[in-house]
Amino acid sequence: MSIKIALAGNPNSGKTTLFNALTGSNQFVGNWPGVTVEKKEGKLKGNKDVTITDLPGIYSLSPYTLEEVVARNYLISERPDAILNIVDGTNIERNLYLSTQLMELGIPVIMAVNMIDVLEKTGDKIHIDKLSKKLGCDVVEISALKGTGIQKAAEKAVALARKKEAGVPVHEFAAEVESAIRSVEDKLGMEVPEEQKRFFAIKLLEKDEKIQKQMKQAPDVAVEINDLEKEFDDDTESIITNERYVYISSIIDECCTKSRKEKLTTSDKIDRIVTNRWLALPIFAAVMFLVYYVSVTTVGTWATDWANEGLFGDSWSFFGTEVPGIPVLIESALNAIGCADWLQSLIIDGIVAGVGAVLGFVPQMLILFAFLAFLEACGYMARVAFIMDRIFRKFGLSGKSFIPMLIGSGCGVPGIMASRTIENDRDRKMTIMTTTFIPCSAKLPIIALISGALFGGAWWVAPSAYFVGIAAIVCSGIILKKTKMFAGDTAPFVMELPAYHMPTVGNILRSMWERGWSFIKKAGTIILLSTIVVWFLMRFGWADGSFGLLEAEQLDSSILASIGNVLAPLFTPLGWGNWKSAVAAVTGLIAKENVVGTFGILYGFTEVAEDGAEIWGSLAGSMTAIAAYSFLVFNLLCAPCVAAMGAIRREMNNAKWFWFAVGYQTILAYVVSLCVFQIGTLVTAGTFGAGTVIAFVLVLGFIYLLFRPYKESKTLHVNIKGIAGAK
């Protein structure tokens, strides 16, 4: 019989690291039923009948965000056979709050005290035997990062689940907890199923509206709650919280021995520098510059050149032997079987040219993903959210908004979905609207191509693209927060800063590959289909009075050219009003990777050379460097790909909000690109015209929107209900 084990714990407690170690490659990702929150499940190594579910990190069973609701509902509704509760040993007092709630569910619990290696370095000691006796459940020491004790924890969880199946009592609840809950039950006179009694009793006191509606058969509940509040002279939520921490403190005093060394930890010493009021932002800027410099300008460029010129070019060297490139091999194979000319054109000029031009940038992206995985795993990105909170709060967002934007640097879809961790609805909507301004992996080929081709690989182009996105977010936040739709107080920012640690190579490679594989799959589906459609529209049209397959020199008569010529005048004020550039920008709405792929097809190249001379040489007469940067800015800021727009529609859950978000992004992109080209041309070439006047008017209007005074109160009221009585 199959067994279900849930991994539950606080954020940053090491759940995902443990999940990866226990399941290895036996993982699969989906969505929770009814919602689009990512669901991770996997089979335990060596036990194919044991399914492990990695629940979203939660601090308690009182949910506020959608992820927390999902985790709570899974535990209550699905009722797994056992819970493996991961506890951060360096913050055990805070972690035990959730643990006490988990044990009240009546589901067998195994507690795994993680980061035991860090405790050894600090000299702190957790007495596992005493802790196990106090809590009434088995407790094991583990280090998910180093793999210490994880197999023992898994075996205990499986054994506990099998005992439950056999009907054998699995453990006794701690006497103090049991006594406290029993008194609550007596006070409320609850009549609920035995296996849910503990949970409902506590949740009623915490004023869970959903459960109160389910308990209408107990009309005296409200009266009893009021009596209880009068007796304790406090609200019920604070009463329960206080009593939990009183109990937890009694456990900590007996089960934990703290080192008497009063010295700063390594993490504290690092934080004194990287979170310093004056040094934090320059350090962050330097880190991101280094990441993009290595990923896009130097090492990444060398790797991408090899892929474009060799693998997707004429030939590449393999241990001194020249091996034909993929286009050459495919063309030789098609010639050998006598393939029809139109089909050969579709495969070579359409599929290989389009998809190959995009896949050539995969090495560059993998290097970037490896850097981001390292920064996330070592703990620095949590500090970045803390650092950015000071800035974000000035224009109406909290540091929590930076997390979706960070995730969006890989792909906009999970970045948009990550906005669910933001409790404030206005802040969440604004974050959704601005997250895709950060360059995602799909935009990197555009950045790399323009940087290497029109700017001679100038170091500043790639980092400037990243900071253009940051500027768009900052300015959007300031402007939108002054409107009635987004006016209001900013939600308080609370985030745990995990201790710094050196991530394992395996975890970095796994994260890098997951993001890279997602990009490759898109290239094999959406981009493949798009390149076929673009090829058809490009190679068919009206010539010599009839409709049919066109010759290479007749592209200006194609269907695609007709569509592009209608759209091109819209982009003329932006400096790239030719039909090919217009079409490339429009196909980018399907998938941003299509921009480079479309250029590859339109100019008949199966690969993008080192400096992009083949493609950009053809554009030299119609696109200047300023126009190229305008083109780059437009594609960075305009509405994202179809997949990301679908995510915006789901998260907004409202058609009007969706169209407002997409419309705002596109209009902002057009305005900024127009100003970049018109003012840039005035500065570099001295050209002045009606477009320049419009650009200056738009800049002045933009400045006014930025600095006009708030009409709504901008005072932040924070009410912190302390648990001072817990100590």
Side-chain angles (χ1 to χ4, degrees):
M1 184 175 179
S2 62
I3 292 175
K4 295 188 296 183
I5 297 176
L7 298 185
N10 289 184
N12 296 316
S13 61
K15 285 188 305 81
T16 302
T17 303
L18 178 61
F19 175 76
N20 291 335
L22 292 177
T23 58
S25 59
N26 303 317
Q27 303 175 18
F28 50 95
V29 178
N31 287 328
W32 298 93
V35 293
T36 51
V37 176
E38 189 176 88
K39 175 185 184 180
K40 264 194 171 185
E41 290 186 342
K43 298 294 184 180
L44 179 63
K45 292 178 182 178
N47 291 272
K48 299 301 181 183
D49 61 334
V50 178
T51 300
I52 298 179
T53 303
D54 183 18
L55 297 178
I58 54 176
Y59 289 105
S60 75
L61 293 180
S62 302
Y64 292 97
T65 66
L66 187 55
E67 282 87 349
E68 292 176 334
V69 172
V70 163
R72 195 277 303 270
N73 289 347
Y74 177 83
L75 292 172
I76 301 305
S77 304
E78 298 293 328
R79 298 194 67 80
D81 298 301
I83 298 174
L84 185 52
N85 176 212
I86 296 86
V87 170
D88 179 0
T90 62
N91 292 293
I92 190 166
E93 184 171 7
R94 175 179 46 72
N95 280 238
L96 285 180
Y97 187 90
L98 174 64
S99 301
T100 60
Q101 292 183 318
L102 293 176
M103 288 186 291
E104 289 156 12
L105 297 177
I107 301 173
V109 175
I110 288 288
M111 180 179 290
V113 179
N114 192 21
M115 304 186 191
I116 203 68
D117 53 321
V118 178
L119 284 175
E120 291 175 355
K121 292 180 180 179
T122 60
D124 294 344
K125 176 67 177 177
I126 296 177
H127 304 286
I128 299 300
D129 294 339
K130 290 183 180 180
L131 185 61
S132 177
K133 185 177 180 180
K134 278 285 185 181
L135 294 174
C137 70
D138 285 340
V139 181
V140 295
E141 294 180 321
I142 69 168
S143 172
L145 187 66
K146 298 184 179 299
T148 306
I150 61 173
Q151 196 59 38
K152 180 180 178 181
E155 291 172 356
K156 281 186 173 289
V158 172
L160 198 60
R162 296 195 189 281
K163 283 184 181 181
K164 179 190 174 185
E165 289 180 353
V168 178
V170 291
H171 62 70
E172 294 291 334
F173 290 109
E176 293 89 345
V177 176
E178 185 69 17
S179 176
I181 295 172
R182 197 176 296 119
S183 66
V184 172
E185 293 175 336
D186 293 340
K187 184 73 176 175
L188 297 179
M190 301 293 296
E191 294 182 3
V192 294
E194 180 65 30
E195 67 272 11
Q196 295 181 347
K197 184 179 294 184
R198 296 178 177 84
F199 174 73
F200 276 112
I202 296 298
K203 292 309 294 177
L204 266 171
L205 287 179
E206 292 176 342
K207 298 184 178 180
D208 188 303
E209 294 179 4
K210 182 177 179 181
I211 293 177
Q212 286 188 28
K213 290 178 182 178
Q214 295 175 354
M215 297 303 298
K216 288 181 179 179
Q217 66 268 31
D220 60 331
V221 165
V223 176
E224 297 293 345
I225 287 178
N226 290 333
D227 291 344
L228 195 64
E229 289 180 344
K230 289 179 182 178
E231 180 180 343
F232 283 89
D233 191 27
D234 204 347
D235 64 275
T236 50
E237 185 175 1
S238 296
I239 295 169
I240 292 297
T241 300
N242 184 72
E243 290 304 313
R244 285 191 190 280
Y245 275 107
V246 167
Y247 170 66
I248 291 170
S249 295
S250 68
I251 294 177
I252 297 299
D253 291 341
E254 293 187 37
C255 301
C256 299
T257 303
K258 296 288 185 180
S259 172
R260 293 185 178 181
K261 298 176 181 178
E262 297 293 336
K263 64 178 184 178
L264 292 175
T265 64
T266 302
S267 291
D268 292 335
K269 293 176 182 177
I270 297 174
D271 281 341
R272 280 193 164 187
I273 299 174
V274 301
T275 63
N276 178 274
R277 183 177 185 85
W278 306 110
L279 297 178
L281 287 176
I283 290 174
F284 171 60
V287 168
M288 296 313 299
F289 165 75
L290 178 64
V291 167
Y292 274 81
Y293 180 76
V294 175
S295 302
V296 178
T297 307
T298 55
V299 177
T301 298
W302 302 333
T304 293
D305 288 346
W306 170 83
N308 283 328
E309 296 182 357
L311 193 61
F312 292 100
D314 295 330
S315 64
W316 55 286
S317 178
F318 182 73
F319 291 106
T321 304
E322 288 295 315
V323 180
I326 290 177
V328 175
L329 292 174
I330 293 176
E331 186 173 9
S332 300
L334 294 176
N335 289 331
I337 62 175
C339 181
D341 291 342
W342 70 268
L343 181 57
Q344 184 166 332
S345 176
L346 168 62
I347 296 173
I348 300 297
D349 301 330
I351 297 173
V352 176
V355 177
V358 174
L359 289 181
F361 290 94
V362 168
Q364 211 167 44
M365 284 180 235
L366 291 178
I367 294 173
L368 175 64
F369 293 158
F371 271 111
L372 293 179
F374 176 84
L375 293 175
E376 290 170 4
C378 74
Y380 178 67
M381 282 308 181
R383 272 75 180 176
V384 173
F386 168 75
I387 294 165
M388 297 303 291
D389 182 65
R390 291 207 309 266
I391 298 177
F392 277 34
R393 189 163 296 280
K394 294 182 184 299
F395 58 88
L397 289 175
S398 76
K400 283 188 177 181
S401 298
F402 184 76
I403 302 300
M405 295 168 189
L406 172 65
I407 297 173
S409 64
C411 177
V413 175
I416 292 166
M417 291 170 60
S419 65
R420 291 172 179 170
T421 58
I422 302 171
E423 296 86 356
N424 186 291
D425 184 63
R426 292 186 299 267
D427 291 356
R428 188 173 62 83
K429 283 186 168 65
M430 193 189 300
T431 302
I432 292 170
M433 289 177 57
T434 56
T435 289
T436 54
F437 288 152
I438 294 292
C440 66
S441 61
K443 297 174 183 176
L444 287 182
I446 309 173
I447 298 172
L449 194 61
I450 291 180
S451 172
L454 262 70
F455 292 93
W459 64 268
W460 57 269
V461 177
S464 72
Y466 185 86
F467 288 106
V468 162
I470 292 287
I473 293 169
V474 170
C475 294
S476 296
I478 294 173
I479 292 172
L480 293 174
K481 201 65 177 179
K482 296 177 181 179
T483 64
K484 289 184 179 180
M485 293 185 296
F486 294 98
D489 294 339
T490 303
F493 175 73
V494 180
M495 171 171 278
E496 178 187 0
L497 298 182
Y500 288 102
H501 63 269
M502 185 62 66
T504 62
V505 175
N507 284 338
I508 292 176
L509 293 178
R510 182 182 287 109
S511 176
M512 177 188 74
W513 175 245
E514 285 177 355
R515 291 176 173 179
W517 180 239
S518 176
F519 177 87
I520 293 170
K521 283 192 295 184
K522 186 186 287 187
T525 52
I526 297 175
I527 300 171
L528 175 61
L529 179 61
S530 301
T531 55
I532 293 174
V533 172
V534 170
W535 174 86
F536 175 81
L537 295 176
M538 180 188 71
R539 294 310 304 267
F540 284 84
W542 291 266
D544 301 326
S546 62
F547 179 82
L549 184 66
L550 303 176
E551 299 295 332
E553 62 273 8
Q554 296 176 312
L555 293 185
D556 289 341
S557 301
S558 65
I559 302 173
L560 194 63
S562 300
I563 297 172
N565 286 325
V566 172
L567 299 174
L570 294 174
F571 301 108
T572 299
L574 278 59
W576 37 279
N578 63 82
W579 71 267
K580 293 182 179 179
S581 298
V583 166
V586 171
T587 58
L589 295 177
I590 301 173
K592 293 301 178 184
E593 301 92 335
N594 277 339
V595 174
V596 176
T598 300
F599 276 133
I601 296 173
L602 292 177
Y603 291 101
F605 299 102
T606 56
E607 78 278 347
V608 180
E610 180 178 0
D611 58 357
E614 291 88 350
I615 290 178
W616 294 105
S618 302
L619 289 175
S622 59
M623 186 179 287
T624 63
I626 294 295
Y629 199 80
S630 167
F631 180 84
L632 172 62
V633 169
F634 181 84
N635 282 278
L636 290 177
L637 302 182
C638 76
C641 64
V642 171
M645 283 193 280
I648 293 175
R649 177 65 179 85
R650 289 195 302 271
E651 296 305 310
M652 290 293 194
N653 198 28
N654 183 292
K656 291 182 179 178
W657 271 106
F658 164 73
W659 287 113
F660 175 76
V662 171
Y664 174 80
Q665 293 168 339
T666 305
I667 292 172
L668 179 66
Y670 191 92
V671 169
V672 175
S673 298
L674 185 147
C675 293
V676 166
F677 175 71
Q678 296 293 341
I679 297 176
T681 303
L682 173 65
V683 172
T684 58
T687 305
F688 186 89
T692 313
V693 175
I694 294 173
F696 278 112
V697 170
L698 290 173
V699 169
L700 292 175
F702 198 74
I703 293 172
Y704 167 74
L705 292 175
L706 281 175
F707 293 100
R708 69 176 179 141
Y710 282 94
K711 292 184 179 180
E712 301 287 339
S713 171
K714 60 177 181 179
T715 304
L716 177 65
H717 302 283
V718 181
N719 181 23
I720 301 176
K721 287 190 175 180
I723 53 173
K727 292 288 184 180

